[in-house]
Amino acid sequence: MSVFLKQFWEFLRVRKKWWLGPIIGMLLLLGLLIFFTQGSALMPFVYTLF
């Protein structure tokens, strides 16, 4: 995993694609939110966010 993160960081730095960082970060946070609330009583509240 760290190799992927290092390569991704190099891609952002070399190609000057800084706008991709926040998008990828938000997608990861959203995925973690859905993963950890899967099957819990909080899931109906998560669905209302969309």
Side-chain angles (χ1 to χ4, degrees), residues 24-43:
I24 299 297
M26 289 304 293
L27 286 173
L28 286 173
L29 287 175
L30 182 62
L32 287 173
L33 175 71
I34 291 173
F35 177 76
F36 284 119
T37 59
Q38 184 178 10
S40 74
L42 293 175
M43 207 54 193

Side-chain angles (χ1 to χ4, degrees), residues 1 5-8 11 17 20 24 29 31 37 46 48:
M1 185 69 172
L5 292 176
K6 183 177 180 181
Q7 288 178 351
F8 183 65
F11 171 79
K17 302 280 187 186
L20 282 174
I24 299 297
L29 287 175
T37 59
V46 172
T48 61

Side-chain angles (χ1 to χ4, degrees), residues 10-20:
E10 288 294 320
F11 171 79
L12 291 178
R13 195 170 57 93
V14 170
R15 304 252 197 265
K16 306 284 193 252
K17 302 280 187 186
W18 298 113
W19 54 272
L20 282 174

